[in-house]
Structure formats: structure tokens, C-alpha cells
Amino acid sequence: MDHVSTRGLQHFKNLVGIKFQLYNSLFTSLPFHRIEKTGILLSLLLNNCEEGYKKKQSPTEIIEDFFSKHTAYTKPAERLDLLFRFIQYIERQVVLFDALEDAGFKEINDLSGVGTLKHLESEVIQNNKQEELKEKLRKFAVRLVLTAHPTQFYPGSVLGIINDLSNALSDNNAVQINMYLQQLGKTPFFKKQKPTPYDEAMNLIWYLENVFYSAAGRIISFLKSQFPEAVDDDNPVFTMGFWPGGDRDGNPFVKAATTLQVADALRGGIIKSYYLEIRRIKRRLTFDGVDTILNDLEKELYNNIFIPGQRTPLSKSAILESLNKIREILIYKHNGLFLHLINNLINKVNVFGLHFASLDVRQESSIHGQVLDTIAAKSTGLPADYAKLSPDEKIKVLSGITEPAGKSIPNEEITTDTIETIHAIRNIQDFNGEEGCNRYIISQCNSALNVIEVYGLFLLGGWQKETLTVDIIPLFETVDDLQSAAAIMEALYSNETYAAHLAKRGNHQTIMLGFSDGTKDGGYLMANWSIYKAKEELTAISEKYNVEVVFFDGRGGPPSRGGGKTHNFYASMGKNISNKQIHLTVQGQTVSSNFGTVDAAQFNIEKLLHAGISNDLFNNRNITLEQDEETLLEQLAAESFTKYVALKNHPYFADYLAQVSPLKFYSETNIGSRPAKRSGGNKLSFKDLRAIPYVGAWAQIKQNVTGYYGVGTALMELDKQGKFPQLKTLFQTSLFFKTLLDNCEMSMRKCFFPLTAFLSNDEKYGEIWNMIYDEYNLTQHYILRISDKTELMSDYPIDQLSIIMREKIVLPLLTIQQFAIMNIREIEDNLVKSPLKETYEKLVIRSSFGIINAGRNSA
């Protein structure tokens, strides 16, 4: 362990570990009615769990043993009531732990160390790469896209308390800490109603206003101060994207009106941020000639946010014009006094404009086909027999549209909303600027026709080919779609109409690649391999047609959904993978855990910036993997895919998930507006099941199948072929392969098989449980052997300790949830009606919150 890691680990032990034990004692005074000594009883339950699992007891046996030994409760209602109190208590322990980690972030992490912009500065100067940096920053940027995916189990009120509690902990303000902990005791964690898409948007706008606004200012200001010639105002190196209110894929609650409402909230949020900053600046810039310009700008901003219904023709360029005038006056008349205040605000305006974050619109590909068929049958603009045409004939018809659809567009909800959404995009661009909404994403894209369908819909919606300021982005998700991606894009690049559209967009094509559905479809290694190969082929085909391709990664929180040590993936890419920009989604939990404070956000954004920039400036690899290395990975992917598919095809696989995990209760947690499945119906369909509840279910039963299953078998098969020395060399020389296995370790570190070991001899589910457990052990064996380590994640000691402490906190919660699931299964198997079934179901749902929150990137 290096010196920096040792120091950080010691800080973690002092600032998080010891303080958690200290402040945890304050929970004994929390206002839990009817229950005395909850904390003492909970510590006894924790001890029972630890000892019970060593004795191979089941969760039911552990809970029964606890009640008989440590309480006088005999009635089920009394016992269940105590378990609910434990859940409340543990939820708040997790909040305290989160807040302590946030409070100690600056001391635990080296904010000037490897992977930061400070480190980049020294590398650039040392290697005399100033000119190369200037060239790189002409077009390079990192875009974080906040999504509404339901992985945030904290309601907004609790997130606010975590923020305030973190500040109090940083200041060691015991009075405030105690007050906030008491507030936690009275604040509900469970949402009685599902949030609307607008609610989700407002929760994330809080992060834009309170975190990303300041973090972006710091980052741009640092780059400009150190490399003033390198940063171009026309290309901010950092931007934000936004999905809540625009993502209607499988979410029937997102309408065109929602999209307009959210765009307006984004505009209001950034104008309010500028207004408040100008109010602060006015206290310093009291000089003659400056004050009047500031007053006028302040009034203009005020009128746009505080006077209902008023939207003046405010623009980004007008704001910059006023600020640049002030800048000139400060330089030439006031010796540059307080110039940094204006420069910082100018930097933010260049990044956020009047849109704050670009609102992406996303819809599933089949919807567009349905809408076009309806328009053809019941309106004008398309031939009546459109639905019967071949894909090539449809492309020809759609490419040749010259007139919008007739006004008699069928009054069918999906058709009307699709056309209204296309109108809404123009409206948003008028008020928020083009960046406000200029990307349309097609999920489940599996043909060139899917892209041309959207192009045709814009023409039918009244847009002109010459002035279509929207990028159409295909999203390739399944293994089959990823393998077909290059051929689909070649068909588009060689289409005369689409090529002309790309030319008007600067020959710039963004392509989105989905990690979540790829993993669900093909397993961990095959998904990552398929995405790597797709990127390699898409880079080559784009270069062939002189198109600049930008990859937009649909990443989730856990490694199995593209999360984990994300920056290392970008740092590992060779020049055979386009590195023009880095675009990725940031979802739910990951927003609060990686970007919850200004320091954390700046640190993690800098890591991504550093990865993308240093990859070009200091990376001498022309390709990410040599041919023999690619062959090894391809073999690993194929072997792991076979193993994963065998598990997925087990006759009891769907039943196992439904009966052993909390999967079927996911939609009742009320954490997101979007349904847990793409289509209705009660039957569990693997195809319709969304990746988030699928991955989250495995996380809650501590088996994390999607993060490692098939890896051990693949490594073993290549070992049998005598290729282990090559694999070891690959691990030592390829950051890409090492990061794949590092993330695998993270998934495995969060596993705890004793929780479900009672299933090992189960008549129905024993075979599946043992398949998973054996693969876990095999994978652990080979990863430790290949990395020369004795335990998982030992080279990330702070992360390792954080996981160990979090898992200990939630062990009673895991036990309570499995206890409830076991009782539900028994009731259902015996086909009896029990008044307790509903209470057990509530226990399962309520347990989910603390389990997922403690994992921080579990869903």
C-alpha cells in the first residue's frame, strides 16, 4: 500500500469509523415511539446474525432465536412492530455513515493527487505538452447526463438532511449534529406516492444548483488560470445533460407538456443561480461604471424568474456581453480588482447558458413505427400503404418528405404526444437556446430504418431539412444489436439524405451504448466485450466516412451496469476507440454518492477529464488490445456467455428471482415514476424486465450475479488450455482488462452467501443456489490467483473498509428482509390466507431502502 493510500485509510478510520461509533450512540435518544432501548436490542440482533450465520442458521432461525433469547415478545404483531423499528433505526445509521463519508471527503481523498487536474498540470508541463493540450481542448468535453432511473432510495428531504449533517460533522458542531439526527428520527423515508417525472426533475435540479454549478466554475477557472491559451469559450470542457421529463421510454407519465415544464424549470434554475451570484458579486463590485451594468442585469434576471408568466428575450450572448463589459472596466479602470469573480461567472455562463443542462428526449424504437403507420393510415404526408412497404422503401419515402403532416393528425395519445414533443423541442430551443434540447435518443435501436423514422417524424412535425438542429442518437443495447451496430451506421452514413443532415451538424454523430441491458442479456464479460468491439468497429466505420463519432455510455451505478471505476475504462482506451468526448449517464444513487458534494463532484469530474485528456496526450498505444489479447478476451467472453445463458435458461431461474429476491416488490417502493417493466401484465417476463430492478434484486440477496457470473468459468477454461500465463500478463499490461476484473471484485466484495445458504439443500432452488455459489468461489479463486492478492479489493483499502462497515450495518436488515420473504413464500406455498402476509410484504419493501442505500451503487 502506498503512502497516500495509508494516510487516506487512517483518515477514514478516524473521520468515519471512530466518529460513527461516537455519533451512533446519539441514536439512543431518537424519538421512536413505544420502543425503549432500540439500539441496545439492535446490537444484540447484530450479534445474533453474526454468530447465527457462522452456525449456518437461516434468517428465520436467527430472528426466532433473537426474540426467544432477548425479548418477552410472543405475539407476531409485537415482534413485527419491533422489526419495523429496527428498519427505521438502521436506515438512519446508514444516513449517518453517508454523511460522515461526505464530511471527510477532502481529508480521505487526495484532491491534488493522481488523476486530478493538478496532476494533469504537472504532467503537461513536465512533458512539454501545452500545444497538444490546446489542440485536445478545442473539441474535447465531458458530459454527465443525469437520469431519472429509479435507483435513488432517499427522498429529497433526507438528501437535504445528509447535506446539512455533513456540514455539521465537518465543523464538529455537536449541537447541530444532535438536532439533525433527531430530525432524521421524525422524517419519513418511505414515499406514500410515486414521484411524478416533474418531481424527479426538481430533485435533480437541486444538484445542478447546489453542486454542479459551483464544481463546474472551479474546474473551468482552474484550467483557464493554468492554461489560459488552451481553454476555448466556444467549447466548454464540461457540460451537463438531463433525462427527467424527456425520457419517455416505457414511462407513460412523460408527455410533451412535462418536457416543456421541465425545460422551463431548468431555465429558471440557471437564471436563479446567476441572479444569486450577481447579488453576491454586487457586494464587492461597487465601482463607478460597473454598478449600473450589474443592476440592469440583475433586474433582467429577476424579471425572468420572479414575475409570473414573464419571459423577456434574454439570451446567453446578452448576459455574456454585459459581463464582458464589466470585465473590461475592471481591467482598464480598477486594476483588475475582483476580476476573478466576474471571470468565474463568465465561465459558468459559457457552460450552462440558459439551459443549465441539455434535456434529452428518448423513446423506444417501435413507438415511432406505430406513429408513422397511424399517420399514413389517417392523415396526409405519407402514402396510405406505408405500413406495407419494405424497410428500404420506407427509408426512401421518409427521406423524401417535403411537407409536414396534415392538420388532421389522428387524436391518438401516442401519436399526438410524439408530434407535440417534436414541436416542444423547437419551443425549448427558442427560449433555452439550441443546447436546451437538441438530442433525440432511440432506445432498442436495431436498424437504419429506426433512425430514419425519427428523421421523418421531425419533417412531418414541421421542421425543415436545412434547419433541423437536432442530433438523432441510436442506442444499441442487446448483444445482437451491439454486434449489428457498425453495419447499421454504415447504412446511415451512406444514405444521401442522412449524410446531408450530418454535414449540417458538423459531421458529428453521437452513438449511445447501453451497459445495463447488455449485461442482463449476455452477462458481465460478454456485455463489456460486445461494447468494446462495437466501439472499435464504429470508430473505424465513422473514420471511413469522415464522421466524428462520440460515444455516449449508458452507465448505471454498479459494475454490472457499467459503473465502478469508470474513469479507468476511459483511461485504458487506445487510439482505435474514438476519444473525442466522454458522455455518460449518472443515475440515482450515483448522483448522491459520487457527486453529492461540490468537493466530491469536482474530484470525480476531474478524474474523467484527466482520463480523456491524458489518454490522448500521454498514451502511446495505437490500439487498446493487441490481436492476441483480443483473441483471449473474445474467448473469455464466449465461455462466460455460455455459462451465463445456462443459468438464465434454468427452468426455475425466473421463479428463483421472483420468490427468493424482493424483485416483485420493486415497483411498490415508490422511488421512481417509471414502471419496473416495459409492458403490463403480472407475469414476470425476462425480456420486459428492466435492468435496474433485475440488478437491484441480485444486490439485495447479496449474490450480485450480474457482476461476475461466468468470469470464473471462463478463466478456468482458458487455464485448462494452458493460457493462464497469457492471462496474467494481460492483467499486468492492460488497464482495460484489469479494470474489468477490479470491478468484478467490487461486485463480489458485496456478496454474502450465508444469508441464503439455507437454500443450498432446497428441493426446487438448491441447484440454482449452488450454481451461483460455486461460480462465485471459482471466480474469487481465479481473480486472486491472477492478481497475486490474498483478499478481494485489497488494492483499494478505503473502498474495501467502507464496504465492510456498510455491510455490517445492514446485516440485521438483510436478515429481516429474508425472514419476511421466507414467510411470504411459506404462506403462498401452503395456499393459505394469512393476515400477516401484507405486513411481511411491507417489511420486504421497507428493508429495500436501507440495503440499497448502504450499497451506494447497488442498483
Side-chain angles (χ1 to χ4, degrees):
M1 196 188 305
D2 61 36
H3 172 68
V4 174
S5 297
T6 304
R7 189 178 60 200
L9 183 61
Q10 192 56 51
H11 280 313
F12 185 90
K13 289 176 179 176
N14 294 338
L15 296 173
V16 181
I18 293 173
K19 279 192 172 183
F20 178 76
Q21 299 303 326
L22 176 67
Y23 290 121
N24 189 40
S25 62
L26 293 176
F27 278 100
T28 54
S29 63
L30 288 183
F32 295 131
H33 59 90
R34 300 197 310 277
I35 296 293
E36 293 180 358
K37 301 177 181 175
T38 309
I40 295 169
L41 285 171
L42 180 58
S43 66
L44 293 170
L45 175 58
L46 172 60
N47 185 63
N48 252 47
C49 291
E50 291 175 331
E51 294 302 315
Y53 288 123
K54 286 177 187 173
K55 298 175 189 172
K56 297 185 167 35
Q57 287 183 317
S58 72
T60 299
E61 290 169 333
I62 289 169
I63 295 290
E64 293 293 340
D65 189 49
F66 163 76
F67 277 117
S68 61
K69 278 185 180 176
H70 302 297
T71 76
Y73 299 134
T74 55
K75 294 178 182 176
E78 292 177 323
R79 290 184 167 194
L80 292 172
D81 188 58
L82 179 60
L83 294 181
F84 275 113
R85 303 297 160 215
F86 284 158
I87 290 171
Q88 287 182 300
Y89 199 99
I90 295 166
E91 283 175 335
R92 286 150 181 82
Q93 285 183 312
V94 173
V95 168
L96 174 61
F97 198 87
D98 283 349
L100 283 165
E101 284 199 332
D102 287 347
F105 190 89
K106 282 200 289 190
E107 284 73 28
I108 295 166
N109 296 280
D110 185 357
L111 302 191
S112 299
V114 174
T116 64
L117 290 183
K118 193 72 181 167
H119 177 227
L120 178 69
E121 178 194 6
S122 62
E123 287 179 300
V124 169
I125 294 169
Q126 189 176 339
N127 293 282
N128 198 26
K129 294 277 188 178
Q130 288 90 337
E131 283 303 311
E132 287 90 338
L133 176 66
K134 183 178 178 181
E135 181 60 28
K136 175 68 176 174
L137 292 183
R138 279 181 58 244
K139 292 185 178 179
F140 178 76
V142 166
R143 175 179 290 207
L144 297 182
V145 181
L146 306 181
T147 78
H149 289 23
T151 65
Q152 178 52 270
F153 279 69
Y154 284 134
S157 54
V158 174
L159 288 170
I161 294 171
I162 292 175
N163 185 268
D164 295 339
L165 182 57
S166 297
N167 292 331
L169 288 164
S170 296
D171 298 336
N172 287 316
N173 189 326
V175 174
Q176 279 192 338
I177 292 166
N178 191 42
M179 183 173 66
Y180 292 141
L181 290 178
Q182 289 195 49
Q183 183 187 357
L184 267 181
K186 290 181 173 289
T187 302
F189 278 45
F190 182 67
K191 301 170 185 176
K192 293 181 179 177
Q193 292 180 313
K194 280 183 176 290
T196 66
Y198 185 72
D199 293 334
E200 292 171 327
M202 293 311 294
N203 284 340
L204 287 176
I205 287 173
W206 184 91
Y207 285 99
L208 287 173
E209 292 176 349
N210 293 281
V211 177
F212 291 106
Y213 181 76
S214 297
R218 286 187 189 178
I219 288 167
I220 307 297
S221 293
F222 176 84
L223 281 171
K224 279 197 167 183
S225 66
Q226 304 309 118
F227 306 105
E229 298 298 316
V231 182
D232 185 347
D233 288 341
D234 292 331
N235 178 51
V237 296
F238 172 69
T239 59
M240 295 295 301
F242 205 77
W243 275 18
D247 180 14
R248 59 245 305 129
D249 173 21
N251 191 336
F253 308 110
V254 177
K255 307 293 183 190
T258 317
T259 305
L260 287 167
Q261 189 183 18
V262 169
D264 197 47
L266 286 165
R267 184 178 188 271
I270 191 58
I271 292 174
K272 181 175 74 173
S273 299
Y274 295 154
Y275 172 79
L276 292 173
E277 183 151 0
I278 283 172
R279 296 272 295 176
R280 290 191 294 270
I281 288 173
K282 279 179 66 179
R283 297 177 63 181
R284 302 280 80 84
L285 301 186
T286 51
F287 318 140
D288 184 42
V290 170
D291 50 353
T292 53
I293 301 173
L294 274 177
N295 285 334
D296 290 344
L297 185 52
E298 179 191 0
K299 185 178 179 182
E300 182 82 357
L301 295 171
Y302 179 93
N303 290 342
N304 270 269
I305 48 174
F306 294 118
I307 298 180
Q310 177 151 348
R311 274 187 183 181
T312 66
L314 186 66
S315 67
K316 172 183 174 180
S317 58
I319 296 173
L320 287 172
E321 185 180 347
S322 295
L323 294 176
N324 280 316
K325 279 181 187 174
I326 295 170
R327 190 175 185 278
E328 293 295 309
I329 294 171
L330 290 179
I331 291 171
Y332 294 111
K333 291 188 177 180
H334 304 289
N335 299 318
L337 187 59
F338 299 127
L339 182 62
H340 67 283
L341 297 177
I342 287 295
N343 283 340
N344 192 30
L345 181 52
I346 288 172
N347 293 338
K348 290 171 180 170
V349 176
N350 279 319
V351 171
F352 298 117
L354 284 179
H355 61 281
F356 219 157
S358 295
L359 182 58
D360 290 342
V361 173
R362 182 172 78 135
Q363 181 58 285
E364 200 259 326
S365 60
S366 66
I367 298 296
H368 306 126
Q370 292 174 32
V371 171
L372 287 165
D373 288 349
T374 303
I375 290 174
K378 299 181 180 180
S379 182
T380 60
L382 290 174
D385 64 345
Y386 172 82
K388 297 178 182 177
L389 300 178
S390 69
D392 287 344
E393 289 170 330
K394 286 181 177 179
I395 287 175
K396 189 173 180 180
V397 168
L398 294 168
S399 301
I401 293 171
T402 55
E403 297 291 332
K407 293 192 176 178
S408 59
I409 288 177
N411 189 22
E412 294 180 9
E413 187 175 20
I414 192 67
T415 303
T416 304
D417 188 68
T418 300
I419 297 299
E420 285 180 354
T421 299
I422 286 167
H423 295 158
I425 292 172
R426 189 196 297 277
N427 185 301
I428 294 166
Q429 289 194 7
D430 287 343
F431 285 98
N432 294 19
E434 185 196 311
E435 296 93 341
C437 188
N438 64 353
R439 308 203 311 177
Y440 195 111
I441 299 162
I442 308 161
S443 54
Q444 302 288 325
C445 182
N446 49 49
S447 69
L449 175 60
N450 288 161
V451 175
I452 300 297
E453 283 172 336
V454 171
Y455 181 78
L457 281 168
F458 272 92
L459 301 180
L460 289 170
W463 288 73
Q464 300 298 314
K465 291 181 180 180
E466 296 73 22
T467 55
L468 179 52
T469 49
V470 177
D471 296 320
I472 302 170
I473 302 174
L475 166 51
F476 301 110
E477 302 175 83
T478 66
V479 171
D480 286 345
D481 290 345
L482 288 164
Q483 289 171 351
S484 305
I488 290 170
M489 293 314 300
E490 180 159 31
L492 288 167
Y493 293 157
S494 57
N495 177 283
E496 191 177 329
T497 303
Y498 191 74
H501 170 65
L502 280 184
K504 291 183 179 67
R505 302 298 292 161
N507 278 323
H508 172 107
Q509 174 69 57
T510 301
I511 298 173
M512 189 172 180
L513 303 161
F515 285 75
S516 302
D517 281 279
T519 303
K520 189 190 106 182
D521 185 43
Y524 177 69
L525 270 185
M526 179 55 85
N528 279 278
W529 169 251
S530 298
I531 286 170
Y532 167 77
K533 284 305 290 181
K535 284 186 174 182
E536 186 178 52
E537 292 165 5
L538 288 165
T539 300
I541 207 70
S542 298
E543 285 177 357
K544 176 182 172 182
Y545 288 89
N546 295 315
V547 173
E548 267 193 9
V549 67
V550 169
F551 294 121
F552 176 16
D553 291 339
R555 295 181 179 273
S560 59
R561 293 185 51 237
K565 305 293 179 185
T566 305
H567 59 281
N568 284 342
F569 276 115
Y570 295 114
S572 72
M573 293 295 106
K575 292 179 172 58
N576 61 321
I577 305 289
S578 174
N579 183 37
K580 299 289 188 297
Q581 296 190 16
I582 292 175
H583 292 196
L584 69 156
T585 55
V586 183
Q587 303 176 5
Q589 268 187 319
T590 316
V591 180
S592 55
S593 60
N594 287 359
F595 304 94
T597 65
V598 176
D599 288 327
Q602 182 179 349
F603 181 70
N604 285 302
I605 293 166
E606 284 191 14
K607 280 194 163 187
L608 289 169
L609 284 165
H610 182 276
I613 294 169
S614 62
N615 188 287
D616 257 16
L617 268 58
F618 312 114
N619 180 5
N620 296 318
R621 294 188 308 273
N622 286 321
I623 53 175
T624 311
L625 298 164
E626 299 293 341
Q627 185 56 54
D628 58 330
E629 295 173 333
E630 279 208 2
T631 302
L632 275 177
L633 263 178
E634 187 173 19
Q635 290 175 316
L636 286 171
E639 295 288 354
S640 70
F641 180 69
T642 302
K643 182 73 174 176
Y644 177 75
V645 169
L647 176 70
K648 208 169 63 168
N649 289 340
H650 191 285
Y652 296 140
F653 181 76
D655 287 349
Y656 184 85
L657 259 184
Q659 298 298 320
V660 174
S661 83
L663 177 67
K664 60 188 178 184
F665 303 106
Y666 203 93
S667 60
E668 295 171 49
T669 54
N670 290 338
I671 59 163
S673 66
R674 192 175 74 170
K677 296 192 294 177
R678 278 192 167 91
S679 64
N682 295 321
K683 185 160 176 60
L684 178 63
S685 160
F686 189 78
K687 182 179 184 299
D688 288 334
L689 181 64
R690 288 194 175 275
I692 290 169
Y694 177 70
V695 172
W698 288 117
Q700 288 187 70
I701 59 172
K702 292 295 160 189
Q703 293 181 3
N704 284 328
V705 160
T706 51
Y708 63 85
Y709 197 87
V711 175
T713 294
L715 292 169
M716 180 184 71
E717 289 301 324
L718 266 70
D719 184 20
K720 287 178 181 176
Q721 297 170 27
K723 295 178 180 176
F724 193 78
Q726 292 99 303
L727 289 171
K728 204 170 179 70
T729 301
L730 182 63
F731 180 83
Q732 292 165 349
T733 58
S734 168
L735 181 59
F736 176 70
F737 184 55
K738 182 181 184 304
T739 305
L740 272 178
L741 295 192
D742 282 351
N743 278 351
C744 208
E745 287 185 55
M746 185 186 292
S747 295
M748 296 175 71
R749 186 83 231 192
K750 294 181 179 182
C751 289
F752 184 67
F753 279 90
L755 176 70
T756 51
F758 65 93
L759 290 167
S760 62
N761 297 315
D762 187 88
E763 187 177 340
K764 184 174 182 181
Y765 299 126
E767 185 178 13
I768 293 182
W769 189 91
N770 283 295
M771 284 171 70
I772 296 168
Y773 184 53
D774 290 347
E775 185 64 19
Y776 169 86
N777 284 325
L778 186 64
T779 305
Q780 179 175 247
H781 166 76
Y782 270 100
I783 284 182
L784 293 179
R785 189 177 153 200
I786 210 167
S787 61
D788 292 323
K789 288 187 288 198
T790 55
E791 58 179 3
L792 297 172
M793 288 188 71
S794 58
D795 46 350
Y796 295 100
I798 297 170
D799 292 345
Q800 183 194 51
L801 182 57
S802 175
I803 290 170
I804 291 169
M805 293 186 71
R806 286 172 176 277
E807 295 299 311
K808 182 172 182 175
I809 292 168
V810 295
L811 185 58
L813 203 51
L814 293 163
T815 307
I816 290 168
Q817 186 184 64
Q818 266 303 316
F819 162 77
I821 289 173
M822 290 173 74
N823 277 282
I824 292 167
R825 194 161 64 247
E826 185 179 350
I827 291 167
E828 291 177 347
D829 288 348
N830 294 330
L831 301 175
V832 295
K833 286 190 175 180
S834 169
L836 294 177
K837 185 184 178 188
E838 188 178 343
T839 308
Y840 286 131
E841 289 174 344
K842 286 179 180 175
L843 264 183
V844 174
I845 295 164
R846 292 293 285 109
S847 301
S848 295
F849 287 73
I851 295 168
I852 293 290
N853 285 332
R856 286 216 130 175
N857 69 346
S858 298

